[in-house]
Amino acid sequence: MSFSDPSPLSAAPGASVRAVHDEFHGDLLEVSMGPHHPSTHGVFRMMVTLDGETVVKLKPVFGYLHRNHEKIGENTSYLGSMPYTDRLDYLCSMTNNWAYALAVEKLAGQAVPERAEYLRVILAELTRLLNHTCLAGFLLQDCGASGTPLMYAFREREKILDLFESLSGSRMMCNYQRFGGCRVDAPAGWLDAARALTDGYGSFLDEYEALLTGNEILMARTQGIGCLSAKLAVSAGVTGPLLRAAGVAYDLRKVDGYGFYPRFDFRVPLGAHGDTYDRYMVRVLEMRESIRILQQALRDIPAGPIMDPKAKLRGFRPKPGEVYSRIEGPKGEIGFHLISEGGPNPYRYRVRPPSLINLTILEDLCLGHSIADAVVILGSIDIVLGEVDR
Amino acid sequence: MSAAATTSESFLERAPLLLRDAVTGFLPEPARWLANSLLSIVAVLAVFGLLFAFLTLAERKILGRVQNRPGPNRTGWFGLLQPFADGIKMLTKEDIVPRAADQLLHFLAPVTLLALSILTFAVIPYGRHLVPVELDSAVLYFFAAGAATELAIFMAGWASHNKYALLAAMRALAQLISYELPLLLSFVPVVLATGTLSTTGIVAAQGGWKWHLIPHWIVFTPWGAAGFAIFMVSALAESNRSPFDLPEAESELIAGHLTEYSGFKYALFFMAEYFGMCALSGMAVTLFLGGWQAPLPVLEFIPSYVWFAGKLLTLLLGFIWIRATLPRLRIDQLTRLAWKFLVPLALVNLGTAAFWSLTSAWSGPLQLLRWAVALVLVAGPFLLLGRGLTAGLGPRTYRYA
C-alpha cells in the first residue's frame, strides 16, 4: 500500500481521466446516462466517467432525434418549411416561426404591417414566459423537488398554450407566421385575454419565487455550481440567458433591434457569477421584463391588416441571394441561413440552434462536480432535443 | 399485549383486551400466551398493512392537491380502491431478475428489508394496554432492528449489478450511517430524564399535567423540543424521504437501488419504506409526544389508541407535506448536515437535558433562570452552527445592462 499522493484531480476545464488506480480511489466508473434517463430532457445521452460521485469526464452524445430537418428544408418550398420549424424547439414554435419568417422576408425584401409586428412581439414574449416558466419547473424537478414546482409551472404554461390555441388552432405546433405578416388575425377578445394573463403573471412569479428562490436547499444546490466564465461563454458561442448569466450584456433584442423591440422600454438582467443560480435568476428577471414588454405591446397594438397585401404566398420565388437572419429566442440566438437560387425551394437551408451550441460547454461546467450537480447543470442549460438533433 | 385492564376504565379502552380474551380465552394458560402473541402479530400486520395501503393513497392525494391536480380518483369512490388496484397490478407484473445479478441476494434484499422493518413494530406502545412485546431495553432493540435495514438496501444495490444501483447503495450507506448517530443521540436525553429504556416506562413518565393544562410530554421542555426536531430530521433521512431521498434520487439515479426491481419485490421495498416511516414516527410519538397519553385531562375519555393513531398520522402527514415542498440535498451536503450540525447539536442537547434534570428542584424566580439557560443552550448552538452551514449562500442582487 503506498501513501504517495496520486496526481490530484483537477476541477479545471479540460481535466481528463486519471489513469492511476490507487488504494483510495480505485477504478473509475463509466455510466451511460441516457438516452432514456428521467432527467436528460428527451433522448440526450451523457457518457459520464465518475470517480466516486465526481464527474471526471463527460461526453455528450446526441443525434437520437435527428430527422434531416435541414435537408428536407432544401427540398421543400419556402412556405412548406414553416410547419417544420415548429418541431425544432417544440416549446417555442412561435419564435422559431418568426426567426424563419424574418430570414425569408429579408431574402425577398418583404415588408410587414404594423399590427403583425406587434403580434409577433407579443407572441415571442409569451413564448419567452412559457419557456422560462417551464425551465424553472424542470430545473427544480432535477433538483429533486417532487413535481410541485413543475406542476405550478405547467398550470401557467397551459394558460399561455390556451392563448396560442385560440389564435393559431394548435397548442404547440402553431405554424402561425407567414412571409409578410401572420396567418390569421387575433379573434375577438383574444387581446383582452392576453392582457388578463399578462397582468396576472407577475403575481404567479411572486408566488413561485416566494416558494423557491429563497429556499436554502435550492441555494445550496445551485450557488457556485457549474460556473461559466464570460470568456468561455463568448469563445464557445453561447447565447441567450446563459451568456447573460455569465455577465455579458448581449441581447439581440437590443443589439439588432429587430421587429419593433426598439419601441419598447425593457431592461436586460445580467448575472455576476455565471453559476446555476444566476442562470435561474436571470430567467426569472427576464420574465418580469417580458411582462413589461407585453403590457406595452398590448397597450399600443394598432388595428389594421396583418398581412402585407403585396406578399405572395403561392409561387413564391425570392431572387437569388444569401441571407442569415437571427432573433433572440428564449434559449438564445436562433438563426436561419438561407441561400436562394431563384427557385421555389432554398438551395441551402441551415438552422443555428441555440440549444446545441449552448450544450457544447456541458463538460466544462460539469467537471469536478458531482453527478447530482451534472443533472442540475444540464437542466439549467435548457435544451430541447428537437432543436439539438434537428 | 400487557396486563389485564382494571374494570374502572371505559369500555372502549378495554375493548382490544376484551376482544383478545374472547378469541383466546378458552385456551389453557400456556397455549393462551402463544395465541395472544400470534394474535398481536396478526393485528400489527393487518393494521399497518392497511395503513400502508391507504397511506400511499393519502400521499398521492395530498401530493396531487398540493400540485393543482386531483390525484387518483378513478378507482372506486374518491379513488379509495386505488391501493388494491396497485397491489393487484404489482402482483401480476413480471418479476425480472437481471442475468448478471446475484440471484440469491437479489431475492433476499426485499425480504430482509421488510422483515427487519416489521420487527421494529414489536415494541411500540400503541395504547394503554397495547404493547406487543414488553422489553426492558425496548428502545435499544428498536434502533438495532432499524439500523439493520441499511444492510438490506446495500444488498439490493450490490446484488442488482447495475451502476445506478451501486451508486445508490454507496449513497445509502453513507447517508444511513451518518444519520444513525444523531438519531441515537437525540433520544439519549429522553432515557436520561426518564431513567428507563422501556417504551412503556417512557410513556408512563410523560403522564400527568401541570396545572391540569400542560401535559408532561418531553417535547414541551427546551431540550425535548430540540431533541424532537433532531429526531424528526434524522428520521426523514433514515426513511429515505424527501429532501433526503438520495438513494433513489429519480432525477439522478433512475430509481437508485430499486432500478432493477420490478413487480412485487418492488412493492416490498415500497412497503418497507413506509413501514420504516411509520415505525420511526411511532417511536417519535412514544419518546417525545407522550405516546398514547391524552393532551388534556378532559379528553381522557377518548381511548388511548385513538390518541396514538392521531399523533402518528399527524407526523406522517408532515412527512408527506415535506415531500411535496422541498428540493433534494446533495450527498456531501447531506453528510455535512449530519456530522457538522445534527451530531454537535444532539451532543449539546444531552448537556442541556442534564442541566434540566439537575435543576429540577429550582422554583420561583430560579425557574425562570432555568428556562432562560436551557433556551440559550438550545438556540445558541443552533444559530452558531446553522450559520456555518449556509456560509456563502444567500439571495443576490442583479444588475441590468
Side-chain angles (χ1 to χ4, degrees), chain B residues 96-123:
Chain B
I96 301 167
V97 183
R99 196 183 304 151
D102 186 323
Q103 309 283 328
L104 181 66
L105 285 184
H106 190 266
F107 168 77
L108 273 182
V111 179
T112 317
L113 186 62
L114 191 68
L116 289 170
S117 49
I118 290 175
L119 280 184
T120 52
F121 286 134
V123 290

PDB file of all heavy atoms in Angstrom, chain B residues 96-123:
ATOM      1  N   ILE B  96     -38.671  -9.478 -12.920  1.00  0.00           N
ATOM      2  CA  ILE B  96     -37.481  -9.566 -13.764  1.00  0.00           C
ATOM      3  C   ILE B  96     -36.236  -9.547 -12.877  1.00  0.00           C
ATOM      4  O   ILE B  96     -36.083  -8.643 -12.055  1.00  0.00           O
ATOM      5  CB  ILE B  96     -37.429  -8.408 -14.761  1.00  0.00           C
ATOM      6  CG1 ILE B  96     -38.676  -8.437 -15.637  1.00  0.00           C
ATOM      7  CG2 ILE B  96     -36.181  -8.477 -15.616  1.00  0.00           C
ATOM      8  CD1 ILE B  96     -38.878  -7.185 -16.442  1.00  0.00           C
ATOM      9  N   VAL B  97     -35.372 -10.525 -13.056  1.00  0.00           N
ATOM     10  CA  VAL B  97     -34.082 -10.532 -12.372  1.00  0.00           C
ATOM     11  C   VAL B  97     -33.008 -10.451 -13.446  1.00  0.00           C
ATOM     12  O   VAL B  97     -32.985 -11.271 -14.356  1.00  0.00           O
ATOM     13  CB  VAL B  97     -33.898 -11.828 -11.550  1.00  0.00           C
ATOM     14  CG1 VAL B  97     -32.580 -11.774 -10.805  1.00  0.00           C
ATOM     15  CG2 VAL B  97     -35.047 -12.004 -10.596  1.00  0.00           C
ATOM     16  N   PRO B  98     -32.140  -9.430 -13.386  1.00  0.00           N
ATOM     17  CA  PRO B  98     -31.110  -9.324 -14.419  1.00  0.00           C
ATOM     18  C   PRO B  98     -30.217 -10.559 -14.437  1.00  0.00           C
ATOM     19  O   PRO B  98     -29.971 -11.171 -13.395  1.00  0.00           O
ATOM     20  CB  PRO B  98     -30.315  -8.084 -13.998  1.00  0.00           C
ATOM     21  CG  PRO B  98     -31.162  -7.378 -13.041  1.00  0.00           C
ATOM     22  CD  PRO B  98     -32.055  -8.355 -12.401  1.00  0.00           C
ATOM     23  N   ARG B  99     -29.741 -10.913 -15.610  1.00  0.00           N
ATOM     24  CA  ARG B  99     -28.953 -12.129 -15.724  1.00  0.00           C
ATOM     25  C   ARG B  99     -27.666 -12.006 -14.902  1.00  0.00           C
ATOM     26  O   ARG B  99     -27.211 -12.968 -14.297  1.00  0.00           O
ATOM     27  CB  ARG B  99     -28.613 -12.384 -17.193  1.00  0.00           C
ATOM     28  CG  ARG B  99     -28.150 -13.803 -17.441  1.00  0.00           C
ATOM     29  CD  ARG B  99     -27.747 -13.988 -18.889  1.00  0.00           C
ATOM     30  NE  ARG B  99     -28.834 -13.638 -19.798  1.00  0.00           N
ATOM     31  CZ  ARG B  99     -28.646 -13.170 -21.032  1.00  0.00           C
ATOM     32  NH1 ARG B  99     -27.426 -12.974 -21.483  1.00  0.00           N
ATOM     33  NH2 ARG B  99     -29.657 -12.883 -21.818  1.00  0.00           N
ATOM     34  N   ALA B 100     -27.098 -10.809 -14.873  1.00  0.00           N
ATOM     35  CA  ALA B 100     -25.817 -10.645 -14.185  1.00  0.00           C
ATOM     36  C   ALA B 100     -25.992 -10.489 -12.679  1.00  0.00           C
ATOM     37  O   ALA B 100     -25.016 -10.439 -11.949  1.00  0.00           O
ATOM     38  CB  ALA B 100     -25.090  -9.438 -14.749  1.00  0.00           C
ATOM     39  N   ALA B 101     -27.219 -10.388 -12.211  1.00  0.00           N
ATOM     40  CA  ALA B 101     -27.440 -10.118 -10.794  1.00  0.00           C
ATOM     41  C   ALA B 101     -27.096 -11.337  -9.951  1.00  0.00           C
ATOM     42  O   ALA B 101     -27.113 -12.462 -10.421  1.00  0.00           O
ATOM     43  CB  ALA B 101     -28.897  -9.734 -10.564  1.00  0.00           C
ATOM     44  N   ASP B 102     -26.800 -11.071  -8.685  1.00  0.00           N
ATOM     45  CA  ASP B 102     -26.605 -12.146  -7.724  1.00  0.00           C
ATOM     46  C   ASP B 102     -28.005 -12.618  -7.317  1.00  0.00           C
ATOM     47  O   ASP B 102     -28.704 -11.946  -6.552  1.00  0.00           O
ATOM     48  CB  ASP B 102     -25.830 -11.600  -6.525  1.00  0.00           C
ATOM     49  CG  ASP B 102     -25.458 -12.694  -5.560  1.00  0.00           C
ATOM     50  OD1 ASP B 102     -26.275 -13.614  -5.378  1.00  0.00           O
ATOM     51  OD2 ASP B 102     -24.358 -12.639  -4.993  1.00  0.00           O
ATOM     52  N   GLN B 103     -28.404 -13.769  -7.860  1.00  0.00           N
ATOM     53  CA  GLN B 103     -29.811 -14.186  -7.744  1.00  0.00           C
ATOM     54  C   GLN B 103     -30.282 -14.243  -6.290  1.00  0.00           C
ATOM     55  O   GLN B 103     -31.346 -13.750  -5.946  1.00  0.00           O
ATOM     56  CB  GLN B 103     -29.997 -15.560  -8.395  1.00  0.00           C
ATOM     57  CG  GLN B 103     -29.441 -15.676  -9.795  1.00  0.00           C
ATOM     58  CD  GLN B 103     -30.323 -15.009 -10.825  1.00  0.00           C
ATOM     59  OE1 GLN B 103     -31.530 -14.973 -10.666  1.00  0.00           O
ATOM     60  NE2 GLN B 103     -29.724 -14.459 -11.856  1.00  0.00           N
ATOM     61  N   LEU B 104     -29.461 -14.837  -5.442  1.00  0.00           N
ATOM     62  CA  LEU B 104     -29.883 -15.067  -4.064  1.00  0.00           C
ATOM     63  C   LEU B 104     -30.034 -13.736  -3.322  1.00  0.00           C
ATOM     64  O   LEU B 104     -31.070 -13.457  -2.719  1.00  0.00           O
ATOM     65  CB  LEU B 104     -28.861 -15.966  -3.368  1.00  0.00           C
ATOM     66  CG  LEU B 104     -29.212 -16.289  -1.913  1.00  0.00           C
ATOM     67  CD1 LEU B 104     -30.468 -17.131  -1.852  1.00  0.00           C
ATOM     68  CD2 LEU B 104     -28.059 -16.992  -1.225  1.00  0.00           C
ATOM     69  N   LEU B 105     -28.994 -12.894  -3.416  1.00  0.00           N
ATOM     70  CA  LEU B 105     -29.046 -11.619  -2.700  1.00  0.00           C
ATOM     71  C   LEU B 105     -30.151 -10.738  -3.271  1.00  0.00           C
ATOM     72  O   LEU B 105     -30.830 -10.021  -2.526  1.00  0.00           O
ATOM     73  CB  LEU B 105     -27.705 -10.902  -2.811  1.00  0.00           C
ATOM     74  CG  LEU B 105     -26.580 -11.456  -1.951  1.00  0.00           C
ATOM     75  CD1 LEU B 105     -25.354 -10.581  -2.087  1.00  0.00           C
ATOM     76  CD2 LEU B 105     -27.004 -11.527  -0.508  1.00  0.00           C
ATOM     77  N   HIS B 106     -30.329 -10.812  -4.582  1.00  0.00           N
ATOM     78  CA  HIS B 106     -31.362 -10.007  -5.215  1.00  0.00           C
ATOM     79  C   HIS B 106     -32.732 -10.371  -4.660  1.00  0.00           C
ATOM     80  O   HIS B 106     -33.602  -9.514  -4.486  1.00  0.00           O
ATOM     81  CB  HIS B 106     -31.302 -10.250  -6.738  1.00  0.00           C
ATOM     82  CG  HIS B 106     -32.149  -9.322  -7.537  1.00  0.00           C
ATOM     83  ND1 HIS B 106     -33.426  -9.623  -7.915  1.00  0.00           N
ATOM     84  CD2 HIS B 106     -31.890  -8.090  -8.031  1.00  0.00           C
ATOM     85  CE1 HIS B 106     -33.914  -8.622  -8.617  1.00  0.00           C
ATOM     86  NE2 HIS B 106     -33.015  -7.678  -8.700  1.00  0.00           N
ATOM     87  N   PHE B 107     -32.919 -11.647  -4.353  1.00  0.00           N
ATOM     88  CA  PHE B 107     -34.193 -12.072  -3.782  1.00  0.00           C
ATOM     89  C   PHE B 107     -34.267 -11.738  -2.293  1.00  0.00           C
ATOM     90  O   PHE B 107     -35.311 -11.325  -1.782  1.00  0.00           O
ATOM     91  CB  PHE B 107     -34.359 -13.584  -4.003  1.00  0.00           C
ATOM     92  CG  PHE B 107     -35.485 -14.179  -3.217  1.00  0.00           C
ATOM     93  CD1 PHE B 107     -36.801 -13.999  -3.625  1.00  0.00           C
ATOM     94  CD2 PHE B 107     -35.242 -14.902  -2.060  1.00  0.00           C
ATOM     95  CE1 PHE B 107     -37.842 -14.531  -2.892  1.00  0.00           C
ATOM     96  CE2 PHE B 107     -36.286 -15.435  -1.327  1.00  0.00           C
ATOM     97  CZ  PHE B 107     -37.585 -15.249  -1.741  1.00  0.00           C
ATOM     98  N   LEU B 108     -33.123 -11.922  -1.597  1.00  0.00           N
ATOM     99  CA  LEU B 108     -33.145 -11.754  -0.147  1.00  0.00           C
ATOM    100  C   LEU B 108     -33.314 -10.299   0.285  1.00  0.00           C
ATOM    101  O   LEU B 108     -33.889 -10.032   1.340  1.00  0.00           O
ATOM    102  CB  LEU B 108     -31.852 -12.302   0.454  1.00  0.00           C
ATOM    103  CG  LEU B 108     -31.830 -13.780   0.793  1.00  0.00           C
ATOM    104  CD1 LEU B 108     -30.506 -14.143   1.420  1.00  0.00           C
ATOM    105  CD2 LEU B 108     -32.968 -14.119   1.748  1.00  0.00           C
ATOM    106  N   ALA B 109     -32.812  -9.368  -0.535  1.00  0.00           N
ATOM    107  CA  ALA B 109     -32.791  -7.974  -0.094  1.00  0.00           C
ATOM    108  C   ALA B 109     -34.172  -7.452   0.288  1.00  0.00           C
ATOM    109  O   ALA B 109     -34.345  -6.949   1.408  1.00  0.00           O
ATOM    110  CB  ALA B 109     -32.145  -7.109  -1.168  1.00  0.00           C
ATOM    111  N   PRO B 110     -35.192  -7.550  -0.577  1.00  0.00           N
ATOM    112  CA  PRO B 110     -36.504  -7.020  -0.162  1.00  0.00           C
ATOM    113  C   PRO B 110     -37.085  -7.772   1.031  1.00  0.00           C
ATOM    114  O   PRO B 110     -37.714  -7.161   1.895  1.00  0.00           O
ATOM    115  CB  PRO B 110     -37.377  -7.189  -1.409  1.00  0.00           C
ATOM    116  CG  PRO B 110     -36.677  -8.141  -2.282  1.00  0.00           C
ATOM    117  CD  PRO B 110     -35.229  -8.056  -1.955  1.00  0.00           C
ATOM    118  N   VAL B 111     -36.838  -9.094   1.071  1.00  0.00           N
ATOM    119  CA  VAL B 111     -37.385  -9.880   2.175  1.00  0.00           C
ATOM    120  C   VAL B 111     -36.766  -9.432   3.497  1.00  0.00           C
ATOM    121  O   VAL B 111     -37.464  -9.172   4.478  1.00  0.00           O
ATOM    122  CB  VAL B 111     -37.116 -11.381   1.921  1.00  0.00           C
ATOM    123  CG1 VAL B 111     -37.640 -12.213   3.057  1.00  0.00           C
ATOM    124  CG2 VAL B 111     -37.731 -11.802   0.607  1.00  0.00           C
ATOM    125  N   THR B 112     -35.428  -9.298   3.490  1.00  0.00           N
ATOM    126  CA  THR B 112     -34.735  -8.869   4.706  1.00  0.00           C
ATOM    127  C   THR B 112     -35.223  -7.493   5.139  1.00  0.00           C
ATOM    128  O   THR B 112     -35.506  -7.261   6.320  1.00  0.00           O
ATOM    129  CB  THR B 112     -33.221  -8.795   4.433  1.00  0.00           C
ATOM    130  OG1 THR B 112     -32.848  -9.927   3.683  1.00  0.00           O
ATOM    131  CG2 THR B 112     -32.449  -8.729   5.709  1.00  0.00           C
ATOM    132  N   LEU B 113     -35.302  -6.596   4.164  1.00  0.00           N
ATOM    133  CA  LEU B 113     -35.692  -5.230   4.495  1.00  0.00           C
ATOM    134  C   LEU B 113     -37.061  -5.214   5.153  1.00  0.00           C
ATOM    135  O   LEU B 113     -37.270  -4.587   6.199  1.00  0.00           O
ATOM    136  CB  LEU B 113     -35.693  -4.391   3.207  1.00  0.00           C
ATOM    137  CG  LEU B 113     -35.934  -2.905   3.396  1.00  0.00           C
ATOM    138  CD1 LEU B 113     -34.829  -2.317   4.235  1.00  0.00           C
ATOM    139  CD2 LEU B 113     -35.978  -2.208   2.056  1.00  0.00           C
ATOM    140  N   LEU B 114     -37.996  -5.922   4.559  1.00  0.00           N
ATOM    141  CA  LEU B 114     -39.354  -5.919   5.100  1.00  0.00           C
ATOM    142  C   LEU B 114     -39.379  -6.573   6.482  1.00  0.00           C
ATOM    143  O   LEU B 114     -39.993  -6.051   7.417  1.00  0.00           O
ATOM    144  CB  LEU B 114     -40.297  -6.652   4.144  1.00  0.00           C
ATOM    145  CG  LEU B 114     -41.756  -6.468   4.485  1.00  0.00           C
ATOM    146  CD1 LEU B 114     -42.165  -5.032   4.251  1.00  0.00           C
ATOM    147  CD2 LEU B 114     -42.627  -7.392   3.658  1.00  0.00           C
ATOM    148  N   ALA B 115     -38.676  -7.700   6.608  1.00  0.00           N
ATOM    149  CA  ALA B 115     -38.691  -8.406   7.890  1.00  0.00           C
ATOM    150  C   ALA B 115     -38.136  -7.514   8.993  1.00  0.00           C
ATOM    151  O   ALA B 115     -38.732  -7.399  10.074  1.00  0.00           O
ATOM    152  CB  ALA B 115     -37.861  -9.681   7.773  1.00  0.00           C
ATOM    153  N   LEU B 116     -37.021  -6.844   8.683  1.00  0.00           N
ATOM    154  CA  LEU B 116     -36.407  -6.006   9.710  1.00  0.00           C
ATOM    155  C   LEU B 116     -37.298  -4.831  10.061  1.00  0.00           C
ATOM    156  O   LEU B 116     -37.378  -4.424  11.222  1.00  0.00           O
ATOM    157  CB  LEU B 116     -35.043  -5.517   9.231  1.00  0.00           C
ATOM    158  CG  LEU B 116     -33.967  -6.596   9.177  1.00  0.00           C
ATOM    159  CD1 LEU B 116     -32.741  -6.074   8.472  1.00  0.00           C
ATOM    160  CD2 LEU B 116     -33.626  -7.053  10.579  1.00  0.00           C
ATOM    161  N   SER B 117     -37.970  -4.274   9.060  1.00  0.00           N
ATOM    162  CA  SER B 117     -38.787  -3.103   9.398  1.00  0.00           C
ATOM    163  C   SER B 117     -40.048  -3.524  10.152  1.00  0.00           C
ATOM    164  O   SER B 117     -40.565  -2.742  10.935  1.00  0.00           O
ATOM    165  CB  SER B 117     -39.112  -2.287   8.155  1.00  0.00           C
ATOM    166  OG  SER B 117     -39.591  -3.110   7.145  1.00  0.00           O
ATOM    167  N   ILE B 118     -40.512  -4.755   9.940  1.00  0.00           N
ATOM    168  CA  ILE B 118     -41.669  -5.200  10.722  1.00  0.00           C
ATOM    169  C   ILE B 118     -41.263  -5.455  12.169  1.00  0.00           C
ATOM    170  O   ILE B 118     -42.042  -5.185  13.090  1.00  0.00           O
ATOM    171  CB  ILE B 118     -42.286  -6.472  10.093  1.00  0.00           C
ATOM    172  CG1 ILE B 118     -42.959  -6.107   8.770  1.00  0.00           C
ATOM    173  CG2 ILE B 118     -43.306  -7.100  11.012  1.00  0.00           C
ATOM    174  CD1 ILE B 118     -43.478  -7.297   8.021  1.00  0.00           C
ATOM    175  N   LEU B 119     -40.031  -5.917  12.364  1.00  0.00           N
ATOM    176  CA  LEU B 119     -39.555  -6.192  13.727  1.00  0.00           C
ATOM    177  C   LEU B 119     -39.709  -4.972  14.632  1.00  0.00           C
ATOM    178  O   LEU B 119     -40.012  -5.108  15.814  1.00  0.00           O
ATOM    179  CB  LEU B 119     -38.087  -6.601  13.688  1.00  0.00           C
ATOM    180  CG  LEU B 119     -37.756  -8.033  13.298  1.00  0.00           C
ATOM    181  CD1 LEU B 119     -36.264  -8.256  13.416  1.00  0.00           C
ATOM    182  CD2 LEU B 119     -38.499  -8.995  14.196  1.00  0.00           C
ATOM    183  N   THR B 120     -39.485  -3.796  14.049  1.00  0.00           N
ATOM    184  CA  THR B 120     -39.493  -2.598  14.890  1.00  0.00           C
ATOM    185  C   THR B 120     -40.874  -2.300  15.458  1.00  0.00           C
ATOM    186  O   THR B 120     -40.995  -1.562  16.431  1.00  0.00           O
ATOM    187  CB  THR B 120     -39.028  -1.372  14.089  1.00  0.00           C
ATOM    188  OG1 THR B 120     -39.804  -1.307  12.889  1.00  0.00           O
ATOM    189  CG2 THR B 120     -37.574  -1.487  13.727  1.00  0.00           C
ATOM    190  N   PHE B 121     -41.919  -2.866  14.863  1.00  0.00           N
ATOM    191  CA  PHE B 121     -43.264  -2.576  15.366  1.00  0.00           C
ATOM    192  C   PHE B 121     -43.538  -3.250  16.708  1.00  0.00           C
ATOM    193  O   PHE B 121     -44.526  -2.953  17.364  1.00  0.00           O
ATOM    194  CB  PHE B 121     -44.324  -3.066  14.369  1.00  0.00           C
ATOM    195  CG  PHE B 121     -44.432  -2.193  13.153  1.00  0.00           C
ATOM    196  CD1 PHE B 121     -44.481  -2.742  11.896  1.00  0.00           C
ATOM    197  CD2 PHE B 121     -44.504  -0.822  13.292  1.00  0.00           C
ATOM    198  CE1 PHE B 121     -44.581  -1.936  10.785  1.00  0.00           C
ATOM    199  CE2 PHE B 121     -44.612  -0.012  12.183  1.00  0.00           C
ATOM    200  CZ  PHE B 121     -44.645  -0.571  10.918  1.00  0.00           C
ATOM    201  N   ALA B 122     -42.645  -4.190  17.087  1.00  0.00           N
ATOM    202  CA  ALA B 122     -42.960  -5.033  18.239  1.00  0.00           C
ATOM    203  C   ALA B 122     -43.003  -4.268  19.551  1.00  0.00           C
ATOM    204  O   ALA B 122     -43.731  -4.648  20.464  1.00  0.00           O
ATOM    205  CB  ALA B 122     -41.948  -6.172  18.330  1.00  0.00           C
ATOM    206  N   VAL B 123     -42.220  -3.211  19.660  1.00  0.00           N
ATOM    207  CA  VAL B 123     -42.041  -2.626  20.989  1.00  0.00           C
ATOM    208  C   VAL B 123     -42.733  -1.283  21.157  1.00  0.00           C
ATOM    209  O   VAL B 123     -42.576  -0.627  22.173  1.00  0.00           O
ATOM    210  CB  VAL B 123     -40.539  -2.441  21.289  1.00  0.00           C
ATOM    211  CG1 VAL B 123     -39.896  -3.793  21.479  1.00  0.00           C
ATOM    212  CG2 VAL B 123     -39.863  -1.656  20.208  1.00  0.00           C
TER     213      VAL B 123
END
